[in-house]
Amino acid sequence: MRLILIFALCFTPLLTGNAWSQTAVPAASPSAPQGRRLEPLPEGTVQQHLDIVYAKYGSRELHLDLFRPKNSEGEVLPAVLIVHGGGWQQGDKTRFRVLAQTLATRGYLTAAIEYRLAGEAKFPAAIHDCQAAVRWLRANAKRLRIDPERIAAVGGSAGGHLVGLLAAAPHVAELQGDGGNAGISSQVQAAVVMAGPMEVPAGPNAVAFLGRTIDEAPELYRLASPMTHLSAKTPPILFQHGEHDRPELNLAAREKLRELKIPTEILVYREGKHGCWNQHPWFGPMVDDIDAFLTKHLSREIKPAWFASHKTAWGEMRFGPAEVELHVAERPVDGILIMPILQNPIRIAYLRGDPARIALKMSPELTEWWFAIPSAADALNPLVVVVETVGRPYLPVIPRVISPAADGSLTLAAHQALAHGQNLRYEPQPIKNTIGYWSELTDWCQWPVYAERPGKYEVHILQGCGKGQGGSEVAVQIGGQTLTFTVEDTGHFQNFKERKLGVVEIAGPQVHALEIRPRTKAAAAVMDVRQVRLVPVE
């Protein structure tokens, strides 16, 4: 009997509001998933130490919760400060507890902090507290077994604003405060801003936070805005947004960071609304992306004990930096091991323990990948299939939205396409890495893309077609515009040729869908597609 793994997402409503902005969030499509609440990790999953005092202002004590991987006492770890949202007026350090716990399982010491809300103390109290928390971590680095030169910060909504300000302004004396450990640096080495403003917007929440309107105190708003303080010393910043949560926010800050040559990127999450980082199905992909960003910019090594994992009908999938290990507890009777598709090309799949690393025969199906397990595997205990991927493996719980490169171009790779129809599918093998099996005229594919810069884009396609199979007519559609072309015979379906199809004008910044739909099928199959590129026209 074949072992088939089926992923089903069950959703229950979770109401969230835009915590800091009074701008309405566009409604999601009727098919959009409804968020599911996060549950705290089971007790004992990580080490935890709650309600530790990190700052004092007279008799007022501020507390943080520390989380650390199990069995990591001998490890010196990077640290991550976690700052909750709530419009600067509500919330507490438990709001992002699951995020803090989950990052701890990935090999970080995490510190979820409380800070003084607007009802207790106006700006700059909250940022004073965040700066004090970083100083406390650095001052206690030896005792906590953390690397004082690898401290990052992650925050959402109002917490994202505070993390942005923390990253941009460790040198601004007015924003340091006297919460303790004076003379210790509050510089962080990386930051993640989840839908937090880098320029404080006018509105009731800002008035509550700052105590004055923007007309009354424009310089106060400038002081409170991270955008004001960006410099060549600002650390790398990742911006995360739900599709329906104003991805255009902080465009000016990202442009400024690029001018300063500070690494920055934006990742947009399909159908996400404000607060999606605290809901399934968005939570997992967003944590994966935070982990990948911090791993890169904190220059850390990943140990197998910190790999994310997923239980299956036949065992467990363990996700590494560039591989998935399939730990098989129940061997397939017919020798066919089935896993869900990844949005990655693969380099090779082989049996762990095979010194020759002989590639397993693979069949890419519509929603699964099938691997033929040779009879020689019966001698292996445990039975582990190693699937080496190009890039960090991504299980498509939600579709990837393609983000622009620093130059504004968009690269739509075959592995990121969403295939629709009877036979069309992604083929991940090294010799293929293509959208293939295009034997049905009604099959089509699409890519969600976030175009940050409005304007004209030249459309390029890497197209392949077998000998004698050319001549199909195909339409490429985006933003209400259509380009048509005739498929060229390239001598082989995986012999790809770059074609320039023409120019489209794209409104931005917003999420679009680029679609490829055949209009005619000249022979047995339409074509193969490895990549589409949208290149800004100067």
Side-chain angles (χ1 to χ4, degrees):
M1 183 177 111
R2 291 188 175 123
L3 301 176
I4 301 177
L5 180 62
I6 300 175
F7 279 74
L9 298 177
C10 302
F11 303 107
T12 55
L14 175 64
L15 300 178
T16 60
N18 192 319
W20 57 264
S21 171
Q22 284 70 51
T23 304
V25 177
S29 69
S31 61
Q34 296 297 310
R36 293 182 292 121
R37 293 184 182 276
L38 303 180
E39 296 295 333
L41 272 60
E43 187 173 349
T45 303
V46 295
Q47 300 177 32
Q48 64 180 35
H49 304 276
L50 307 181
D51 295 317
I52 299 171
V53 175
Y54 75 86
K56 292 183 179 181
Y57 302 93
S59 61
R60 175 66 161 105
E61 296 181 340
L62 292 175
H63 304 83
L64 57 76
D65 297 336
L66 286 180
F67 302 93
R68 187 180 179 93
K70 288 195 307 182
N71 305 317
S72 64
E73 291 80 0
E75 303 285 343
V76 176
L77 304 176
V80 183
L81 194 74
I82 308 290
V83 187
H84 70 82
W88 304 294
Q89 300 179 73
Q90 56 184 313
D92 60 46
K93 58 185 170 63
T94 66
R95 180 172 284 190
F96 283 18
R97 175 166 288 181
V98 181
L99 174 61
Q101 292 174 325
T102 304
L103 284 175
T105 68
R106 303 291 184 90
Y108 303 91
L109 178 138
T110 59
I113 68 166
E114 71 165 324
Y115 56 88
R116 288 170 293 172
L117 302 174
E120 177 182 356
K122 303 299 182 193
F123 173 83
I127 187 60
H128 284 175
D129 301 341
C130 294
Q131 306 274 25
V134 176
R135 294 196 303 269
W136 183 87
L137 286 171
R138 189 161 275 124
N140 290 277
K142 186 174 182 180
R143 178 173 64 85
L144 297 174
R145 300 287 291 166
I146 62 172
D147 185 342
E149 299 306 315
R150 291 190 295 166
I151 299 177
V154 177
S157 194
H161 158 262
L162 292 170
V163 164
L165 193 55
L166 182 67
H171 58 286
V172 180
E174 295 169 87
L175 302 181
Q176 287 300 312
D178 57 358
N181 297 297
I184 300 291
S185 172
S186 60
Q187 176 75 60
V188 295
Q189 282 68 55
V192 180
V193 175
M194 301 184 291
M198 297 291 278
E199 296 179 89
V200 177
N205 282 357
V207 173
F209 177 53
L210 298 174
R212 303 173 76 179
T213 68
I214 193 168
D215 291 333
E216 293 170 335
E219 289 306 310
L220 186 63
Y221 279 69
R222 278 183 49 78
L223 178 65
S225 295
M227 178 73 175
T228 304
H229 310 289
L230 296 177
S231 72
K233 295 183 179 180
T234 301
I237 300 179
L238 168 66
F239 296 90
Q240 294 183 311
H241 279 269
E243 177 184 356
H244 302 289
D245 191 19
R246 300 176 62 202
E248 71 277 8
L249 188 70
N250 303 323
L251 176 56
R254 289 193 290 276
E255 294 286 6
K256 180 65 174 178
L257 288 167
R258 291 178 186 124
E259 289 175 11
L260 294 166
K261 302 190 183 307
I262 303 299
T264 186
E265 57 185 300
I266 178 172
L267 296 176
V268 179
Y269 298 86
R270 189 70 167 155
E271 298 291 4
K273 297 181 181 179
H274 198 69
C276 61
W277 51 80
N278 259 348
Q279 304 169 54
H280 295 302
W282 300 277
F283 176 77
M286 294 180 80
V287 169
D288 286 344
D289 291 335
I290 292 170
D291 185 20
F293 179 80
L294 296 183
T295 294
K296 176 180 179 180
H297 293 290
L298 298 181
S299 301
R300 75 181 194 118
E301 295 182 5
I302 303 178
K303 299 194 172 184
W306 303 335
F307 289 178
S309 63
H310 189 91
K311 298 292 184 183
T312 71
W314 41 259
E316 184 178 65
M317 300 170 64
R318 298 179 187 173
F319 295 83
E323 72 279 333
V324 177
E325 292 183 352
L326 311 181
H327 290 250
V328 183
E330 183 178 341
R331 302 181 184 217
V333 174
D334 62 358
I336 302 297
L337 181 67
I338 300 178
M339 65 171 284
I341 61 172
L342 302 176
Q343 280 195 308
N344 295 84
I346 67 168
R347 301 184 189 278
I348 188 175
Y350 60 93
L351 295 173
R352 194 172 75 185
D354 175 7
R357 288 169 44 112
I358 297 173
L360 300 179
K361 183 179 179 181
M362 177 192 185
S363 298
E365 302 298 322
L366 294 176
T367 59
E368 303 106 7
W369 289 347
W370 294 19
F371 296 96
I373 308 299
S375 57
D378 292 342
L380 298 176
N381 189 15
L383 171 56
V384 179
V385 175
V386 179
V387 182
E388 293 186 358
T389 59
V390 178
R392 183 174 282 228
Y394 180 71
L395 190 67
V397 176
I398 55 174
R400 282 289 197 195
V401 176
I402 296 166
S403 298
D407 63 0
S409 64
L410 292 147
T411 300
L412 289 57
H415 67 271
Q416 297 166 316
L418 307 178
H420 302 271
Q422 297 182 50
N423 290 330
L424 190 64
R425 68 198 67 179
Y426 172 58
E427 300 178 84
Q429 303 97 315
I431 61 170
K432 294 188 175 183
N433 185 20
T434 183
I435 289 291
Y437 282 87
W438 215 324
S439 59
E440 295 293 327
L441 179 62
T442 54
D443 287 359
W444 60 286
C445 64
Q446 68 178 162
W447 288 262
V449 298
Y450 172 63
E452 192 158 60
R453 301 173 185 175
K456 294 182 178 181
Y457 290 76
E458 192 170 57
V459 181
H460 300 228
I461 189 169
L462 274 178
Q463 166 247 292
C465 184
K467 187 174 181 179
Q469 300 291 314
S472 299
E473 297 294 322
V474 176
V476 176
Q477 302 169 340
I478 187 170
Q481 299 155 88
T482 302
L483 299 174
T484 59
F485 71 100
T486 301
V487 174
E488 285 190 20
D489 178 340
T490 62
H492 193 284
F493 277 103
Q494 283 83 58
N495 183 25
F496 295 97
K497 177 180 179 180
E498 182 170 2
R499 308 276 306 279
K500 294 182 181 180
L501 306 184
V503 174
V504 294
E505 190 160 359
I506 298 178
Q510 65 186 80
V511 176
H512 298 269
L514 184 142
E515 300 179 357
I516 301 180
R517 294 178 180 264
R519 291 186 170 177
T520 66
K521 183 167 72 77
V526 176
M527 63 177 172
D528 276 11
V529 174
R530 176 164 284 178
Q531 178 181 278
V532 178
R533 291 188 70 229
L534 301 175
V535 182
V537 176
E538 292 296 335

